[in-house]
Amino acid sequence: MDYDLTSVPSLISHIHTLSAEFTNSRLAEKGNFVSSHGFILYLLSRKGRMKMGEIARVINRNKSTTTVLIKKLREEGLIQEETDESDSRMKYVSLTAKGKKYNTLTASISRQLLETCYRGFSQAEKEELLRLLVKLNENIEKRELRNTGSE
């Protein structure tokens, strides 16, 4: 397909789909996981532990979808949930030892995807791409905040 300036959102969506398919096909070789599971494991490896609502916000999923994703990871023994001592309604999620080990696999898949995406790019091009995508993301987020009255 030929892309032009008016098809940038479609191109980004297409890249997202291809990236998810790349990740999902490799995760499927190791179990019944999807890219959102890998993203949650990655987040937990970076943050240590997170609230359920925080995970939902970062992965851009609603709370019920996030709960299903978390349940699958818990059933597989990759994460554990803890209830906040001062507020029993608050749950924290963190990696188990098995989750940390599995995260090594997902990190490898991420490296493979990045190598594929950045093939033929100079360091300057990678940095410029990041700068432009961040700017585009900020524009959309500001617009959405304005439309929802959250700004």
Side-chain angles (χ1 to χ4, degrees):
M1 177 173 180
D2 292 331
Y3 293 100
D4 60 33
L5 294 176
T6 64
S7 59
V8 169
S10 295
L11 177 57
I12 291 170
S13 178
H14 183 70
I15 292 167
H16 174 267
T17 300
L18 291 174
S19 296
E21 288 172 358
F22 180 99
T23 303
N24 291 342
S25 69
R26 282 150 181 82
L27 285 172
E29 295 170 4
K30 302 296 181 187
N32 190 21
F33 297 107
V34 295
S35 59
S36 294
H37 291 117
F39 191 25
I40 291 169
L41 294 174
Y42 169 77
L43 288 172
L44 294 173
S45 74
R46 299 289 304 248
K47 300 263 187 174
R49 72 180 197 159
M50 296 176 73
K51 296 176 190 173
M52 292 282 283
E54 183 182 11
I55 293 171
R57 183 181 48 76
V58 173
I59 68 170
N60 198 30
R61 300 287 185 270
N62 64 37
K63 287 183 181 178
S64 61
T65 300
T66 303
T67 299
V68 171
L69 292 165
I70 293 294
K71 181 181 177 192
K72 170 73 174 169
L73 292 171
R74 187 181 64 244
E75 288 171 352
E76 295 292 329
L78 300 174
I79 61 151
Q80 59 192 4
E81 291 177 302
E82 307 164 41
T83 303
D84 188 295
E85 293 174 9
S86 62
D87 184 354
S88 62
R89 297 168 298 168
M90 188 79 56
K91 290 197 186 235
Y92 288 95
V93 179
S94 60
L95 291 174
T96 62
K98 183 178 177 182
K100 290 175 184 174
K101 184 178 178 184
Y102 190 84
N103 216 25
T104 305
L105 167 70
T106 59
S108 172
I109 293 169
S110 292
R111 277 191 302 278
Q112 292 170 23
L113 178 58
L114 282 172
E115 288 170 6
T116 300
C117 289
Y118 287 141
R119 189 175 300 129
F121 278 66
S122 69
Q123 185 63 31
E125 288 171 326
K126 292 177 196 177
E127 291 170 8
E128 180 67 0
L129 176 62
L130 175 61
R131 186 186 71 74
L132 294 171
L133 289 172
V134 166
K135 186 175 182 177
L136 187 131
N137 184 64
E138 289 171 351
N139 288 343
I140 293 171
E141 283 183 347
K142 286 177 187 174
R143 168 76 183 197
E144 286 303 304
L145 287 173
R146 215 175 14 258
N147 287 342
T148 61
S150 300
E151 188 173 51

